[in-house]
Amino acid sequence: MKNINKWIISLFLLTVVQILSSQYYKDINLKGNLKYKQFYITEDIYENSKNHLDDIRIVDKNGKEVPFVIENEESQRKQSENVVAQAKISERIVKSDRIEFVVKFNSQNPNEDLVGNILEIISKENFYTKYELFGSYNGKNWDKIVAGEIYKTPDKQNLTIKFNEKKYEYYKIVTPIDKGNIFDEAVLKYFNPKTESAKMVETDLPFEIEEKEKTTLLKIKTKNLPLKTVSIDVADDEFRREYNVSDGTKYYESGHIFKIPGSKSSLEINVEEVSGEDSIIIEIQNEDNKPLKIKGVRGKYILEKIVFKATENGGYKIIFGNENLGKLNYDLAQFNDMIKDRDFVDLGTLNKIEGKIPKKPKDFSVYYNIFIGIIAILLVVFMARKIGKKE
């Protein structure tokens, strides 16, 4: 009997979880005469969606799913990227604990500087590695630029290293010794934000502060936004502190923030490598100084767009918030960059789905929830009868 009760309680709790798994929608207000429509993903969609936007669905007035594509920063910024130079790895230096890959780029015009802010690695091997990237004007004196992770698998890859604009001729990628000879060549690119079609926005971010010995832990909630940078509003007039960016388990970025009277201040931190996490931790090293008086945190991110084809006059909705749904792949994603004629449309207010879910879903989660609900009701009736008999 005890085992039956445990089973009943477990099913009941599962039902509660299913019921409390909220879904939301926003009406899509069509305008214009073009077939293809587009709109920016709003902050409340980021905050309430699941699985990094993979749960998003667009449905028509009959509840039928409509093909769409999300245009993220990468797909938007390709139009603003230019190849500066390409070169093979010129030198491999093997040390006791690391391998240093050196590449020298040559300018096509001797009178122009090699201005770049993207280094794209070319490799024939599958791998995963942490790296440190250094830059040099002469190949002897090296400045650290950034650190992070790159990888290549049969399914996906991340071989792009982004950094602030530099004018180096030499770049050096340092990896652990056990990774071996994994790089063949590299491409230096320049992304010009002035010609970028993507839209950068700024928003306030919630945060908490924890003081731990000589370190300030600034814990920032990302609201699931694809953050590029965060800026810290500090009341102190004069300081210079070292910081590290982490997700609580590993480190991604390091550098200095400072404010010097009569000079430029630097309070913006790159968090692009860790922006997919729910929260970001900025560890500020205070040494023997008093902790900084942090008044606020603002984050910058590039808005992502959704593009779809409207065949009806209205009644379209965007639905999100179901963690049981995964990413969809439509043909539209293969040629959306060729669709130039689009109407920008508006979204309505955020609404919570109560009761009936749109018709004809392509997954069976709705039917599963109904089935579990019926079982729960039957179990509650069964328990009530048992209790009545005992009394």
Side-chain angles (χ1 to χ4, degrees):
M1 188 67 185
K2 289 182 178 180
N3 291 332
I4 294 175
N5 289 337
K6 288 180 179 179
W7 182 67
I8 291 172
I9 293 170
S10 298
L11 280 176
F12 180 74
L13 291 174
L14 177 62
T15 305
V16 171
V17 170
Q18 293 289 333
I19 292 171
L20 295 178
S21 180
S22 301
Q23 275 190 275
Y24 301 88
Y25 76 90
K26 300 184 87 170
D27 291 315
I28 302 174
N29 304 315
L30 298 186
K31 57 184 179 181
N33 299 319
L34 299 175
K35 291 182 179 180
Y36 287 96
K37 311 295 180 182
Q38 65 180 359
F39 58 88
Y40 286 118
I41 300 177
T42 54
E43 192 169 315
D44 51 4
I45 294 178
Y46 283 113
E47 194 165 4
N48 292 288
S49 66
K50 306 295 182 183
N51 305 325
H52 304 288
L53 304 181
D54 287 350
D55 65 321
I56 285 178
R57 300 291 186 268
I58 291 181
V59 298
D60 62 16
K61 60 184 179 182
N62 297 314
K64 183 180 179 181
E65 290 183 5
V66 177
F68 69 94
V69 62
I70 297 177
E71 293 186 336
N72 57 23
E73 179 200 357
E74 289 301 321
S75 60
Q76 296 181 59
R77 71 181 290 159
K78 282 181 180 178
Q79 303 173 14
S80 305
E81 283 185 6
N82 295 311
V83 175
V84 178
Q86 183 169 347
K88 293 185 178 297
I89 301 298
S90 59
E91 188 177 7
R92 293 174 176 83
I93 305 171
V94 180
K95 300 291 181 71
S96 60
D97 60 342
R98 65 188 185 277
I99 300 180
E100 300 178 352
F101 299 86
V102 179
V103 57
K104 181 183 184 301
F105 293 109
N106 295 310
S107 176
Q108 297 178 356
N109 187 339
N111 298 320
E112 292 183 359
D113 292 325
L114 283 166
V115 181
N117 51 18
I118 299 172
L119 190 68
E120 191 172 287
I121 306 301
I122 298 176
S123 175
K124 298 176 183 177
E125 307 292 330
N126 291 327
F127 69 89
Y128 165 85
T129 184
K130 293 183 178 180
Y131 72 86
E132 289 182 308
L133 178 65
F134 296 82
S136 174
Y137 299 104
N138 55 17
K140 297 179 180 179
N141 303 315
W142 296 93
D143 302 320
K144 184 176 179 180
I145 301 175
V146 70
E149 300 172 338
I150 48 178
Y151 56 85
K152 180 182 178 183
T153 69
D155 300 323
K156 58 182 179 178
Q157 62 182 28
N158 175 27
L159 299 175
T160 302
I161 303 174
K162 300 172 186 176
F163 46 89
N164 294 328
E165 183 179 307
K166 304 295 180 185
K167 297 182 179 181
Y168 297 119
E169 290 185 30
Y170 296 83
Y171 288 85
K172 180 169 66 176
I173 310 159
V174 180
T175 65
I177 185 68
D178 61 342
K179 299 303 175 181
N181 186 16
I182 52 178
F183 303 140
D184 300 306
E185 53 186 312
V187 181
L188 182 65
K189 296 182 178 181
Y190 178 67
F191 166 68
N192 186 354
K194 293 182 180 179
T195 62
E196 180 184 18
S197 60
K199 183 179 178 181
M200 180 80 78
V201 294
E202 190 172 7
T203 185
D204 290 319
L205 297 173
F207 66 95
E208 296 178 355
I209 295 176
E210 179 184 344
E211 302 297 342
K212 191 175 181 181
E213 296 180 351
K214 295 183 178 182
T215 302
T216 297
L217 300 180
L218 177 60
K219 301 177 181 180
I220 304 169
K221 294 293 184 182
T222 67
K223 299 194 286 190
N224 298 324
L225 298 171
L227 296 172
K228 309 296 292 180
T229 64
V230 295
S231 298
I232 306 174
D233 185 8
V234 182
D236 304 68
D237 295 325
E238 186 176 14
F239 63 87
R240 186 178 188 275
R241 304 287 166 87
E242 182 178 351
Y243 70 82
N244 295 293
V245 179
S246 96
D247 61 2
T249 58
K250 56 184 176 182
Y251 293 96
Y252 294 85
E253 183 92 9
S254 61
H256 292 87
I257 53 173
F258 60 85
K259 186 191 288 187
I260 302 173
S263 180
K264 292 183 178 179
S265 61
S266 178
L267 299 172
E268 192 170 56
I269 298 173
N270 181 10
V271 296
E272 187 172 2
E273 293 289 335
V274 71
S275 65
E277 304 295 333
D278 294 333
S279 61
I280 297 172
I281 301 176
I282 310 293
E283 297 184 5
I284 302 173
Q285 309 300 326
N286 297 315
E287 300 294 341
D288 295 321
N289 304 292
K290 290 183 178 180
L292 297 174
K293 299 175 183 176
I294 298 174
K295 299 190 297 181
V297 177
R298 292 183 65 79
K300 288 182 180 178
Y301 66 97
I302 291 178
L303 286 174
E304 297 172 301
K305 290 187 292 187
I306 287 182
V307 181
F308 72 100
K309 184 178 180 180
T311 57
E312 304 287 342
N313 293 327
Y316 291 95
K317 289 180 172 58
I318 177 173
I319 299 175
F320 48 94
N322 188 340
E323 62 185 0
N324 297 315
L325 298 182
K327 186 176 181 179
L328 298 175
N329 293 299
Y330 292 113
D331 290 339
L332 183 59
Q334 306 301 319
F335 58 86
N336 62 293
D337 57 335
M338 301 171 63
I339 301 171
K340 305 300 181 183
D341 297 326
R342 312 169 179 180
D343 288 322
F344 256 110
V345 296
D346 300 321
L347 296 180
T349 58
L350 180 69
N351 298 281
K352 189 173 181 180
I353 294 177
E354 301 289 352
K356 193 175 182 180
I357 303 294
K359 301 175 184 177
K360 300 180 183 178
K362 289 187 178 181
D363 61 83
F364 295 92
S365 60
V366 176
Y367 304 110
Y368 172 75
N369 290 341
I370 294 172
F371 172 74
I372 292 296
I374 292 172
I375 293 296
I377 293 171
L378 292 175
L379 290 173
V380 169
V381 173
F382 174 76
M383 291 174 64
R385 288 182 177 178
K386 284 288 184 181
I387 294 171
K389 287 181 180 180
K390 286 184 179 180
E391 292 178 350

